[in-house]
Amino acid sequence: MVEALAKKAKEASVVLRSSGVNIRNAALVKIAQAIISSSNEIISANRSDLEAARQKGLKESFIERLTLNEDRVKAMADGVLAVANLDDPIGQVISMWTRPNGLRIGQKRVPIGVIGVIFESRPNVTADAAALCIKSGNTCVLRGGSDAINSNKAIVDVMRRAVEEAGLPKDCVCLVEDTSRETAAKMMRLNGLIDVLIPRGGAGLINAVVSQASVPVIQTGAGNCHVYVDGEADMDMAVKIAVSAKVSRPSVCNSAETLLVDSAIADKFLPVCAKELICKGVELRGCERARKIVPEMKVADDEDFYTEYNALIYSVKVVDGIDEAMAHIEKYSTHHSEAIITESYFKAERFLNEVDSAAVYVNASTRFTDGGEFGFGAEIGISNQKLHVRGPIGLKELTTVKYVIYGAGQIR
Amino acid sequence: MVEALAKKAKEASVVLRSSGVNIRNAALVKIAQAIISSSNEIISANRSDLEAARQKGLKESFIERLTLNEDRVKAMADGVLAVANLDDPIGQVISMWTRPNGLRIGQKRVPIGVIGVIFESRPNVTADAAALCIKSGNTCVLRGGSDAINSNKAIVDVMRRAVEEAGLPKDCVCLVEDTSRETAAKMMRLNGLIDVLIPRGGAGLINAVVSQASVPVIQTGAGNCHVYVDGEADMDMAVKIAVSAKVSRPSVCNSAETLLVDSAIADKFLPVCAKELICKGVELRGCERARKIVPEMKVADDEDFYTEYNALIYSVKVVDGIDEAMAHIEKYSTHHSEAIITESYFKAERFLNEVDSAAVYVNASTRFTDGGEFGFGAEIGISNQKLHVRGPIGLKELTTVKYVIYGAGQIR
């Protein structure tokens, strides 16, 4: 079943990959219009998902993320339109050179083909992921969480009709309707039909995909990010960044989880910063040295320093300078985003050069690791792996390259 | 055991990734010198592998590939020196831009970290793979075939001593001495310790790695390549390319396996080309239409068109024009390398744009898909996947990127 679906997506990809950007954009505009005009249909399908979720006694926060209303449907359509307005990543010849034998070799950006997206019960991801795939010339096989199945069916149905009206195969967008784990596992091993898998969701989902998939995966996810306040930091800036990196949105992967403070500044910095954090409702868990300075802190154990809280909890550690800070990051970090706050040129350069994370900041919050903030316009997640893409996954990262070679009869 | 080994490689990678190119090159020069001066030691270790292989009754071709002699050891050292002379891929800032909020964001090329290489009993791969990894700032965990274990131990031992003499940790080069399948399987799942796995070898090895690994894999391998002779081809050029693409080295992945001939030219082209191929010892297997023109051909069935012969066998199919040729390639190809021979501008452009393979040629042999021929200096294989790298895997492809971000107190 899922194999047959992926086959259809593969066939559609042959058409989509050769289509111009005008038709891809037209499809996105039609999708946005159709989402608005089918708002009632989508919301009513969502209502049955919500009822089922309530009957199952699912958590309020879960139900909140599952809920669609007119505003959210509108936001979904706006998101699709925003993707239509982004630059086309396809067709760019990145470089071209001529070999001594006269062969002219060019490297050209092309769609990947079929992208599988496995995500949780957040129906807004459905339209979002499909829009990014279509824009980048890829067809998609979407597998959302079982609790959003009715919403997803309605949204995908609307999108498929719109895509067809725009003159593209409706199988550019395919939904896996059987949301069993067995089918998801099968989907992860459809080498040759699905070119890339992108899991979007929590650590459990991502680990399951990484460990089971034989199709190449772009791993998104975990962010155990650090802010290191150096002894030569501007105090006000350090407090501002340390606080904002945690409290501005604690639930996301680019928020900071551990605050490392140089012992040279800890006595001055920690009382001020802790006061502000506690006043914003943050629970602090400190090492022994930090707790000597701010006794209100709870005890942080080794496990704390490995933890991505995704909540208003901050672990704090006093370190003796940049070397201990970088060694701590090397050991505990998920290598997503780290920041140093310093006025020292040489320490800034060392931190930028030696810390091995997707994004390394000097004097700025880790919260900027985001496709929008980087200027990519949109993203499908933040890659935490080193292959293919590291950091925000924008349209360009949903492409691959091929070599186009112009000869005049050359043989070897 | 293999986990402890990978941990050592990971620790060494922290040192290696921050080392300058001078020390990396010095290590390579020392390795080359040490290989030469330890020539006897390596050859004598190889001799015990050869004896064991003969006692096991392994094939002559296998033993041939396993054999090291003075010339081959010299070639190994020369290969390492050649890598030392290549440009350093590390540290390049690929692009840098400034956001409206003043953040300056740069994308910088950095080493991947730890690269696992799983390969068959070809001891020359050992030095070659280690050299490419060191040059690109990566440490490596090498797992070669069991029949070359004594050779590999000797080579790695020599390399580790040389690396240490150059002032780098000897664990920059690690060898998995337990060559059991269980240990290989464990190695494939060391996420967090090994960053990327590269299998080098036949289809069986590659499929095993792809299906078992949870560590990201760069898939190399299968090449079912096509030459399409269009109705508007220059006859002489077409014969020259069609013949050379098969006979110049039939055992490699970039050699052609299927010859597609436009029915408009088949009557003229096939008798001439077939004569030359047969005279060079090539067995032809044709479709019905091809066999009407050249009755000497055997019958090609559907399976033939899926087969990478790696031998002096060529399947031949007569097609009605470029559309049928491209549809055949879409269905049967492994999407490695394909060529069109034509004088038509529009058909050349269509083929380049619409065929979805790693390398697409106009009027040249598929045999040029090769790191050396592309000008990369060296390669560790040809990637057949769409993630990270497609086509030859050179030094640049053994790197990843990180974002370096210069702020002035920005928060969100």
Side-chain angles (χ1 to χ4, degrees), chain A residues 10 14 17-18 97 99 101 103 105 107-108 110 112-113 189 191 195-196 210-211 213-214 216-218 237 240-241 244 248 254 330 349 352-365 367-368 370 372-376 385-388 390-392 396-397 400-412, chain B residues 10 14 17-18 97 99 101 103 105 107-108 110 112-113 189 191 195-196 210-211 213-214 216-218 237 240-241 244 248 254 330 349 352-365 367-368 370 372-376 385-388 390-392 396-397 400-412:
Chain A
K10 189 88 194 170
V14 178
R17 76 174 185 233
S18 297
W97 63 97
R99 295 288 302 154
N101 61 7
L103 278 185
I105 304 180
Q107 198 182 29
K108 189 177 165 185
V110 297
I112 288 176
R189 304 188 73 83
N191 298 58
D195 293 291
V196 173
V210 167
S211 95
S214 54
V217 172
I218 299 180
M237 187 188 286
K240 212 177 62 166
I241 291 174
S244 160
S248 61
N254 57 21
E330 179 67 23
E349 284 294 306
L352 287 175
N353 287 334
E354 294 177 32
V355 171
D356 177 40
S357 294
V360 188
Y361 293 82
V362 174
N363 294 329
S365 165
R367 289 271 292 107
F368 288 102
D370 171 272
E373 292 296 331
F374 273 23
F376 297 172
Q385 72 182 32
K386 292 179 176 177
L387 222 53
H388 188 72
R390 205 173 174 200
K396 200 181 79 179
E397 288 73 24
T400 182
V401 292
K402 75 175 178 194
Y403 289 100
V404 290
I405 299 127
Y406 296 80
Q410 286 89 342
I411 57 168
R412 273 182 89 181
Chain B
K10 188 88 195 169
V14 178
R17 75 174 184 234
S18 298
W97 62 98
R99 294 289 303 155
N101 61 8
L103 278 185
I105 304 179
Q107 199 181 28
K108 190 176 163 184
V110 296
I112 288 176
R189 305 189 73 83
N191 297 59
D195 294 292
V196 172
V210 166
S211 94
S214 53
V217 172
I218 299 180
M237 186 188 288
K240 211 176 63 167
I241 292 174
S244 160
S248 60
N254 58 20
E330 178 69 23
E349 283 295 305
L352 286 176
N353 287 333
E354 294 177 31
V355 171
D356 177 40
S357 295
V360 188
Y361 294 81
V362 174
N363 294 329
S365 165
R367 290 271 293 106
F368 288 102
D370 172 272
E373 292 295 330
F374 273 23
F376 298 173
Q385 70 182 34
K386 292 179 176 177
L387 224 53
H388 189 71
R390 206 174 176 201
K396 201 181 78 179
E397 288 73 25
T400 182
V401 292
K402 76 176 177 192
Y403 289 100
V404 290
I405 300 129
Y406 296 79
Q410 286 88 342
I411 58 168
R412 272 181 90 180

Side-chain angles (χ1 to χ4, degrees), chain A residues 65-346:
Chain A
R65 285 195 297 269
L66 181 59
T67 304
L68 289 178
N69 53 35
E70 232 166 279
D71 282 354
R72 288 186 176 182
V73 171
K74 170 87 172 44
M76 203 188 274
D78 287 346
V80 174
L81 274 185
V83 172
N85 287 324
L86 294 176
D87 286 340
D88 180 21
I90 298 301
Q92 187 198 356
V93 175
I94 299 159
S95 64
M96 186 174 250
W97 63 97
T98 303
R99 295 288 302 154
N101 61 7
L103 278 185
R104 203 149 40 89
I105 304 180
Q107 198 182 29
K108 189 177 165 185
R109 201 173 284 296
V110 297
I112 288 176
V114 181
I115 296 181
V117 187
I118 299 188
F119 53 105
E120 292 167 342
S121 294
R122 300 183 67 164
N124 61 317
V125 174
T126 314
D128 191 31
L132 288 166
C133 288
I134 290 173
K135 178 78 185 204
S136 52
N138 298 295
T139 63
C140 57
V141 178
L142 305 171
R143 195 278 192 185
S146 55
D147 295 305
I149 185 66
N150 292 300
S151 314
N152 286 339
K153 274 187 193 171
I155 295 165
V156 168
D157 199 46
V158 165
M159 288 196 290
R160 285 167 63 91
R161 276 183 275 143
V163 165
E164 201 164 32
E165 269 176 37
L168 288 170
K170 60 181 188 298
D171 291 321
C172 286
V173 183
C174 292
L175 178 71
V176 181
E177 299 195 0
D178 167 4
T179 57
S180 69
R181 272 165 196 254
E182 293 69 35
T183 299
K186 255 187 218 157
M187 178 178 167
M188 296 177 205
R189 304 188 73 83
L190 291 178
N191 298 58
L193 292 176
I194 293 179
D195 293 291
V196 173
L197 262 185
I198 304 178
R200 278 184 72 168
L205 170 70
I206 288 160
N207 290 340
V209 173
V210 167
S211 95
Q212 292 174 55
S214 54
V215 170
V217 172
I218 299 180
Q219 190 174 347
T220 61
N224 181 11
C225 304
H226 296 73
V227 172
Y228 166 57
V229 177
D230 180 58
E232 295 181 63
D234 175 294
M235 266 280 290
D236 289 347
M237 187 188 286
V239 172
K240 212 177 62 166
I241 291 174
V243 172
S244 160
K246 168 50 82 183
V247 306
S248 61
R249 203 168 164 204
S251 63
V252 292
C253 59
N254 57 21
S255 68
E257 307 294 353
T258 297
L259 183 57
L260 300 170
V261 184
D262 191 345
S263 54
I265 202 177
D267 284 334
K268 260 175 66 193
F269 170 80
L270 268 182
V272 182
C273 188
K275 193 176 156 199
E276 190 147 338
L277 284 164
I278 290 168
C279 148
K280 301 221 154 146
V282 178
E283 176 188 324
L284 297 174
R285 302 189 186 171
C287 70
E288 218 170 297
R289 291 169 83 181
R291 293 182 65 240
K292 272 202 185 127
I293 302 169
V294 182
E296 295 94 319
M297 288 186 196
K298 296 193 179 168
V299 179
D301 60 18
D302 205 49
E303 204 38 57
D304 278 298
F305 292 113
Y306 280 113
T307 303
E308 181 181 6
Y309 298 116
N310 279 334
L312 284 175
I313 309 173
Y314 221 157
S315 43
V316 181
K317 185 172 183 185
V318 175
V319 294
D320 289 325
I322 189 171
D323 284 291
E324 195 183 341
M326 292 197 300
H328 180 97
I329 289 169
E330 179 67 23
K331 179 171 177 194
Y332 294 96
S333 175
T334 57
H335 305 286
H336 185 296
S337 301
E338 334 289 349
I340 183 174
I341 322 301
T342 190
E343 293 188 1
S344 157
Y345 168 82
F346 286 106

Side-chain angles (χ1 to χ4, degrees), chain B residues 131-307:
Chain B
L132 289 165
C133 288
I134 290 173
K135 177 79 185 203
S136 53
N138 299 295
T139 63
C140 57
V141 178
L142 305 172
R143 194 278 192 188
S146 56
D147 294 305
I149 185 65
N150 293 300
S151 314
N152 287 338
K153 274 186 190 169
I155 295 166
V156 168
D157 199 45
V158 165
M159 289 197 288
R160 284 166 63 91
R161 275 184 274 143
V163 164
E164 201 164 33
E165 269 177 37
L168 288 170
K170 61 179 186 296
D171 290 323
C172 286
V173 183
C174 293
L175 178 72
V176 182
E177 299 195 1
D178 167 4
T179 57
S180 69
R181 274 166 194 252
E182 294 68 35
T183 299
K186 257 188 217 154
M187 176 179 169
M188 297 178 205
R189 305 189 73 83
L190 291 178
N191 297 59
L193 291 177
I194 293 179
D195 294 292
V196 172
L197 262 186
I198 305 178
R200 279 185 74 168
L205 170 70
I206 288 160
N207 291 339
V209 173
V210 166
S211 94
Q212 291 175 56
S214 53
V215 170
V217 172
I218 299 180
Q219 190 176 347
T220 60
N224 181 9
C225 304
H226 295 74
V227 172
Y228 166 57
V229 177
D230 180 56
E232 295 181 63
D234 175 293
M235 265 278 292
D236 289 347
M237 186 188 288
V239 172
K240 211 176 63 167
I241 292 174
V243 172
S244 160
K246 168 51 80 185
V247 305
S248 60
R249 201 168 165 203
S251 64
V252 292
C253 60
N254 58 20
S255 69
E257 307 294 354
T258 297
L259 182 59
L260 300 169
V261 183
D262 191 344
S263 54
I265 202 177
D267 283 333
K268 261 175 65 192
F269 170 80
L270 268 182
V272 181
C273 189
K275 194 178 153 196
E276 191 146 339
L277 285 164
I278 291 168
C279 148
K280 303 221 153 147
V282 178
E283 175 187 325
L284 297 174
R285 300 189 186 172
C287 70
E288 216 171 300
R289 292 169 82 181
R291 294 182 64 242
K292 273 204 185 126
I293 301 168
V294 182
E296 294 93 320
M297 290 186 194
K298 295 194 180 168
V299 179
D301 60 17
D302 205 49
E303 204 38 57
D304 278 298
F305 292 113
Y306 280 113
T307 303

